[in-house]
Amino acid sequence: MVTLYPFVHDDPRPLRAGLHGFTHGLRLALAATLLAGTAAAGGQYVQILADDGFEPGSQPLLPYTQLTLDRWMHENAALVSGTQNGVTPRTGTGMIAVAQANLTASEVRQRLDVSDLAPQVDAGIVAIETSAWLNPTVAGVNARVFATAFDAGQSNIGFIGSTCTSPDGDTGTWEQFVATFTLPAGTRYVEMRFSATNSTLPIGEFLYVDDASCALYEVLGQLLTDPGLDSGSQPLLPFTQLTNDRWMDENAALVVGPEGGATPIGDGMLRLDPAGGSASEVRQRVDVSAFASDIDAGTMSIQAKGLVNPTVGGTNTRVHAHAYAANQSSLGVLTSPCRTPDADTSTWQLWTATLRLPAGTRYVQFRWSVNNVDIAPTDALYADEAELLLLRDVCGPWLNLGGGTVGTAGAVTLEGSGPLTGNSTATLDLTNTPPSALTLAWLSFAPVPFPALGGTVHAFPYANQFLFVTNPSGALSLSTTWPVGVPPGFNVYFQFLVDDPPTVHDITLSNGLRGTAQ
């Protein structure tokens, strides 16, 4: 039994109660929020990174070799604020600056624990997508975004990087780089990295990075028919002859065997030729109405992936992901950046586009396209190995959001445990506070994080707050029964403020903690 003084919003009148006060407050707040409709299941990007926007108040970067979960570690990079060398943060006021070093590459990374998802991972149905927006101060910088998988012993067991592409050097624009792959069986940790090849980044120039993201998806399967475009594939239909589960083309052809210096992955591939109009395209549309309930709950995405190989440099090409309503009207489109392949016909380049499916989506479409003004009639773009994957959000029950500060007893740490399913036990453990410290717990459903007290406040505005006293060892453990009826994907945010007078601000912050109903 602990002594608890619950406060309802700004009510200053303390009440002495047992642990049931915390349980009651949590259940009431959950019920009120659900009834009011101010928070809904799904409908948001399931971000698993801490300090993804690099805003002021983010935890300091750690040395690259100081392996720590849920923290950014760097090799010659820095957190910066405001406009730097002509580059303005893509969102907010903060970003990462990567500089030249006496190394092969300068890198930033964050490692995450995904062991809660071990059964799904080992079944081969969980994919990771890492993404970041890049902006160099000079053209020709080779940059990558990586996704890496590690086993329980921290050994590397899988890796994929975005195409090592040279951003355009236009400091007024940001370019998105994406890397996605299905996690191999045995994965227990994943890592996001972004890097610059130092031989292409002159001293005094910088690669800026903003709005990193890392998401986990359940892979529901490949949607396309004839994805390999090999011999035996159904003939291409005219582009305007809309037919589900068939490739439709605008000036393209199926070819078998090597051609124009390009060799297919199997025995066949597509050739897109210059034509009248702005672009030549190939598309396939698929019916996804069987997944309507998940789509309308906002928890589904599609990912379009395809290999491209032009016979000439300077060819702007895209891979598209489209969503359509039951009446065939367009609801959304996302394309890969319109990049210029390298024209080395001995190599293929992977283009990727991922689209969160809007409510009402009943059809999805994959497209390849080439900008005809960039390619001569005697040249072509080859395409192969298409994938259109249907993805459902997955997320472990607990995520450390970072943002805590160091007090007189060390870094105040908040951890959560329990599956967050109906009638299961959910536990919060607070450690590293001064002995018998007064501490205020905040619970939030729609937080707006901001820097304060040397860290980041994550659980504000709060829906409820509770006052506790930790034990003589500077620890506090709270358990409650997770309510029945909380929809999967529903998020609750927790954070503790600790009375710690010897510190600069007299208050230390725990890390923020997100609980996600399963």
Side-chain angles (χ1 to χ4, degrees):
M1 187 72 68
V2 298
T3 301
L4 168 66
Y5 301 89
F7 289 75
V8 179
H9 298 288
D10 294 318
D11 184 354
R13 296 169 296 176
L15 299 173
R16 196 171 288 274
L19 185 57
H20 69 274
F22 177 70
T23 301
H24 184 63
L26 173 61
R27 294 172 69 90
L28 282 179
L30 279 167
T33 305
L34 288 168
L35 289 172
T38 57
Q44 61 182 347
Y45 191 77
V46 183
Q47 168 70 276
I48 63 174
L49 290 174
D51 299 325
D52 53 292
F54 312 115
E55 296 303 314
S58 294
Q59 301 172 95
L61 302 183
L62 296 177
Y64 193 81
T65 55
Q66 189 177 331
L67 181 58
T68 306
L69 295 179
D70 308 312
R71 289 287 298 271
W72 289 111
M73 297 158 281
H74 79 103
E75 199 162 42
N76 216 44
L79 288 166
V80 297
S81 296
T83 299
Q84 306 279 331
N85 298 306
V87 177
T88 299
R90 181 175 177 270
T91 59
T93 60
M95 55 187 175
I96 288 273
V98 178
Q100 163 72 279
N102 189 25
L103 302 161
T104 302
S106 296
E107 292 190 350
V108 179
R109 64 172 176 163
Q110 184 173 146
R111 191 169 294 193
L112 306 156
D113 185 343
V114 295
S115 57
D116 286 338
L117 299 171
Q120 298 98 311
V121 169
D122 292 347
I125 60 171
V126 177
I128 182 174
E129 178 184 276
T130 55
S131 168
W133 292 81
L134 310 182
N135 197 343
T137 57
V138 62
V141 177
N142 283 338
R144 290 182 186 267
V145 170
F146 300 77
T148 311
F150 299 86
D151 64 16
Q154 309 282 342
S155 296
N156 186 331
I157 58 173
F159 160 85
I160 191 169
S162 63
T163 304
C164 192
T165 303
S166 300
D168 59 17
D170 177 0
T171 56
T173 62
W174 288 84
E175 294 181 80
Q176 185 181 27
F177 283 41
V178 179
T180 305
F181 77 130
T182 300
L183 296 179
T187 299
R188 297 299 179 263
Y189 299 90
V190 295
E191 187 169 276
M192 176 181 181
R193 295 186 190 183
F194 43 85
S195 71
T197 302
N198 283 334
S199 62
T200 65
L201 182 62
I203 293 175
E205 303 291 347
F206 297 88
L207 172 69
Y208 292 98
V209 184
D210 203 358
D211 294 331
S213 65
C214 185
L216 297 174
Y217 298 103
E218 178 186 1
V219 181
L220 300 183
Q222 160 77 284
L223 301 177
L224 295 175
T225 301
D226 298 327
L229 305 157
D230 292 322
S231 59
S233 296
Q234 301 174 90
L236 303 182
L237 297 177
F239 194 78
T240 55
Q241 188 178 329
L242 184 57
T243 305
N244 288 338
D245 308 315
R246 290 287 299 273
W247 288 112
M248 296 158 279
D249 82 286
E250 192 167 44
N251 216 46
L254 288 168
V255 296
V256 176
E259 182 181 285
T263 301
I265 303 303
D267 67 354
M269 57 187 175
L270 273 174
R271 184 186 67 236
L272 282 75
D273 299 305
S278 59
S280 296
E281 292 192 340
V282 177
R283 65 172 175 166
Q284 185 175 147
R285 187 175 291 195
V286 179
D287 185 342
V288 293
S289 58
F291 301 93
S293 59
D294 284 327
I295 291 170
D296 294 346
T299 62
M300 300 287 281
S301 300
I302 54 167
Q303 181 179 89
K305 300 167 66 176
L307 298 175
V308 295
N309 198 344
T311 60
V312 62
T315 304
N316 284 332
T317 181
R318 293 180 186 266
V319 166
H320 309 244
H322 290 250
Y324 294 87
N327 65 0
Q328 308 287 337
S329 61
S330 177
L331 296 176
V333 58
L334 187 74
T335 66
S336 62
C338 191
R339 295 181 185 152
T340 303
D342 60 15
D344 177 1
T345 54
S346 66
T347 62
W348 291 87
Q349 293 178 270
L350 177 66
W351 264 213
T352 302
T354 302
L355 173 68
R356 169 72 66 179
L357 293 180
T361 299
R362 298 298 179 264
Y363 299 92
V364 296
Q365 188 178 100
F366 176 104
R367 287 192 193 185
W368 269 301
S369 69
V370 59
N371 190 336
N372 286 332
V373 300
D374 298 321
I375 189 166
T378 54
D379 288 302
L381 171 73
Y382 293 98
D384 204 354
E385 299 301 311
E387 279 191 300
L388 186 63
L389 301 179
L390 190 61
L391 309 171
R392 178 190 285 130
D393 294 345
V394 295
C395 182
W398 300 99
L399 176 64
N400 183 339
L401 301 173
T405 59
V406 177
T408 56
V412 181
T413 302
L414 177 62
E415 295 181 326
S417 60
L420 298 189
T421 54
N423 274 330
S424 66
T425 299
T427 300
L428 297 178
D429 287 300
L430 183 71
T431 55
N432 297 338
T433 80
S436 305
L438 197 66
T439 180
L440 186 66
W442 281 351
L443 180 154
S444 178
F445 297 109
V448 181
F450 62 92
L453 305 173
T456 301
V457 175
H458 285 284
F460 190 90
Y462 54 82
N464 247 326
Q465 59 177 346
F466 305 89
L467 193 63
F468 297 92
V469 175
T470 62
N471 66 25
S473 298
L476 176 69
S477 184
L478 304 170
S479 293
T480 185
T481 300
W482 191 255
V484 174
V486 180
F490 188 94
N491 289 325
V492 184
Y493 299 81
F494 303 94
Q495 194 164 23
F496 283 70
L497 291 76
V498 179
D499 183 33
D500 199 353
T503 60
V504 174
H505 301 285
D506 296 330
I507 295 174
T508 51
L509 291 173
S510 78
N511 55 286
L513 184 68
R514 187 186 73 196
T516 302
Q518 301 297 292

Coordinates of all heavy atoms in Angstrom, one line a residue, residues 38 71-72 76 106 108 146-147 157 170 176 180-181 210 268 304 329 360 385-386 391 430 442 448 459 462 494:
T38 N -11.8 11.9 -28.1 CA -10.7 12.7 -28.3 C -9.4 11.9 -28.6 O -8.4 12.4 -29.0 CB -10.4 13.5 -27.0 OG1 -10.2 12.6 -25.9 CG2 -11.5 14.5 -26.7
R71 N 18.3 5.7 -27.6 CA 19.1 6.9 -27.6 C 19.8 7.0 -28.9 O 20.3 6.0 -29.5 CB 20.1 6.9 -26.4 CG 19.6 7.0 -25.0 CD 19.1 8.4 -24.8 NE 20.1 9.4 -24.9 CZ 20.9 9.8 -23.8 NH1 20.7 9.2 -22.6 NH2 21.8 10.7 -24.0
W72 N 20.0 8.2 -29.4 CA 20.8 8.5 -30.6 C 22.2 8.4 -30.2 O 22.7 9.1 -29.3 CB 20.4 9.8 -31.2 CG 19.1 9.8 -31.9 CD1 18.0 10.6 -31.5 CD2 18.7 9.2 -33.1 NE1 16.9 10.4 -32.3 CE2 17.3 9.5 -33.3 CE3 19.3 8.3 -34.0 CZ2 16.6 9.0 -34.4 CZ3 18.6 7.8 -35.0 CH2 17.3 8.2 -35.3
N76 N 30.6 11.8 -35.3 CA 30.8 13.1 -35.9 C 29.5 13.8 -36.3 O 29.3 14.1 -37.5 CB 31.8 13.1 -37.0 CG 32.6 14.3 -37.1 OD1 33.1 14.8 -36.1 ND2 32.8 14.8 -38.3
S106 N 30.5 9.1 -41.7 CA 29.9 9.6 -40.4 C 28.5 9.1 -40.3 O 27.7 9.2 -41.3 CB 29.9 11.1 -40.5 OG 31.3 11.6 -40.6
V108 N 24.8 8.2 -37.6 CA 24.0 8.4 -36.4 C 23.1 7.1 -36.3 O 22.6 6.7 -37.4 CB 23.2 9.7 -36.5 CG1 22.3 9.8 -35.2 CG2 24.1 10.9 -36.6
F146 N 19.6 3.3 -43.1 CA 19.8 1.9 -42.9 C 18.7 1.3 -42.0 O 18.2 2.1 -41.1 CB 21.1 1.6 -42.2 CG 22.3 2.0 -43.0 CD1 22.7 3.3 -43.0 CD2 23.1 1.1 -43.6 CE1 23.9 3.7 -43.7 CE2 24.3 1.4 -44.3 CZ 24.7 2.8 -44.3
A147 N 18.4 0.1 -42.2 CA 17.7 -0.7 -41.2 C 18.4 -2.0 -40.9 O 18.8 -2.7 -41.9 CB 16.3 -1.0 -41.7
I157 N 22.0 -9.8 -37.9 CA 21.5 -10.9 -38.7 C 20.7 -10.5 -39.9 O 20.2 -11.3 -40.6 CB 20.6 -11.8 -37.8 CG1 19.4 -11.0 -37.2 CG2 21.4 -12.5 -36.7 CD1 18.4 -11.9 -36.5
D170 N 20.5 21.3 -53.1 CA 19.6 22.4 -53.0 C 19.2 22.6 -51.6 O 18.3 21.8 -51.1 CB 18.4 22.3 -54.0 CG 17.4 23.5 -53.8 OD1 17.7 24.4 -53.1 OD2 16.4 23.4 -54.5
Q176 N 13.5 12.7 -49.0 CA 13.2 11.6 -48.1 C 13.9 10.3 -48.6 O 13.8 9.9 -49.8 CB 11.7 11.3 -48.0 CG 11.4 10.2 -47.0 CD 9.9 10.0 -46.9 OE1 9.1 10.2 -47.9 NE2 9.4 9.5 -45.7
T180 N 13.3 -0.5 -46.1 CA 12.3 -1.4 -45.6 C 12.7 -2.8 -45.8 O 13.2 -3.1 -46.9 CB 10.9 -1.1 -46.2 OG1 10.6 0.2 -46.1 CG2 9.9 -2.0 -45.6
F181 N 12.5 -3.7 -44.8 CA 12.7 -5.1 -45.0 C 12.0 -5.9 -44.0 O 11.7 -5.4 -42.9 CB 14.2 -5.5 -45.1 CG 15.0 -5.6 -43.8 CD1 15.8 -6.7 -43.6 CD2 15.0 -4.5 -42.9 CE1 16.5 -6.8 -42.4 CE2 15.8 -4.6 -41.8 CZ 16.5 -5.7 -41.5
D210 N 16.5 15.4 -40.7 CA 15.3 15.8 -39.8 C 14.2 14.7 -40.0 O 14.2 13.9 -40.9 CB 14.8 17.1 -40.2 CG 14.0 17.8 -39.1 OD1 13.9 17.2 -38.0 OD2 13.6 19.0 -39.3
G268 N 12.4 -12.4 -67.3 CA 11.7 -11.4 -67.9 C 11.7 -10.1 -67.1 O 12.0 -10.0 -65.9
A304 N 4.7 0.2 -52.1 CA 5.1 -0.2 -53.5 C 6.6 -0.2 -53.6 O 7.3 0.8 -53.2 CB 4.5 0.8 -54.4
S329 N -12.7 6.8 -57.1 CA -12.1 8.1 -57.0 C -10.8 8.0 -56.1 O -10.7 7.2 -55.2 CB -13.1 9.1 -56.3 OG -13.5 8.6 -55.0
G360 N -12.0 4.5 -46.1 CA -12.8 4.4 -47.3 C -12.0 3.8 -48.5 O -12.6 3.5 -49.5
E385 N 10.7 -7.0 -60.8 CA 10.5 -7.4 -59.4 C 9.6 -6.4 -58.6 O 10.0 -5.8 -57.7 CB 11.8 -7.6 -58.7 CG 12.7 -8.7 -59.3 CD 11.9 -10.1 -59.3 OE1 11.4 -10.5 -58.3 OE2 11.9 -10.7 -60.4
A386 N 8.4 -6.2 -59.0 CA 7.4 -5.3 -58.4 C 6.9 -6.0 -57.1 O 6.7 -7.2 -57.0 CB 6.3 -5.0 -59.3
L391 N 0.2 -3.8 -45.4 CA 0.9 -3.7 -44.1 C -0.1 -3.3 -43.0 O -0.8 -2.3 -43.2 CB 2.1 -2.8 -44.1 CG 3.1 -3.0 -45.2 CD1 4.1 -1.8 -45.3 CD2 3.8 -4.3 -45.1
L430 N 9.3 3.2 -11.1 CA 10.1 4.4 -11.1 C 11.3 4.1 -10.2 O 11.1 3.7 -9.1 CB 9.3 5.5 -10.6 CG 9.9 6.9 -10.6 CD1 10.1 7.4 -12.0 CD2 9.1 7.9 -9.7
W442 N 2.1 12.3 -14.2 CA 1.1 12.8 -15.2 C 0.7 11.7 -16.2 O 1.6 10.9 -16.6 CB 1.8 13.9 -16.0 CG 1.8 15.2 -15.2 CD1 1.1 15.5 -14.1 CD2 2.5 16.4 -15.6 NE1 1.4 16.8 -13.7 CE2 2.2 17.4 -14.6 CE3 3.3 16.8 -16.7 CZ2 2.7 18.7 -14.7 CZ3 3.8 18.1 -16.7 CH2 3.5 19.0 -15.7
V448 N 1.5 17.1 -26.2 CA 2.3 18.0 -27.1 C 3.6 18.2 -26.4 O 3.8 19.1 -25.5 CB 1.5 19.4 -27.2 CG1 2.3 20.3 -28.2 CG2 0.1 19.2 -27.8
A459 N 4.2 14.1 -21.3 CA 2.8 13.7 -20.9 C 2.1 15.0 -20.5 O 1.4 15.1 -19.5 CB 2.9 12.7 -19.7
Y462 N -1.9 17.0 -19.4 CA -2.3 15.8 -18.7 C -3.8 15.7 -18.6 O -4.5 16.7 -18.5 CB -1.6 15.7 -17.4 CG -1.8 16.8 -16.5 CD1 -3.0 16.9 -15.7 CD2 -0.9 17.8 -16.3 CE1 -3.2 18.0 -14.9 CE2 -1.1 18.9 -15.5 CZ -2.3 19.0 -14.8 OH -2.5 20.1 -13.9
F494 N 2.8 8.4 -20.0 CA 3.1 8.6 -18.6 C 4.4 9.4 -18.4 O 5.4 9.2 -19.2 CB 3.2 7.3 -17.8 CG 2.0 6.4 -17.9 CD1 1.9 5.4 -19.0 CD2 1.0 6.5 -17.0 CE1 0.8 4.6 -19.1 CE2 -0.1 5.7 -17.1 CZ -0.2 4.7 -18.1

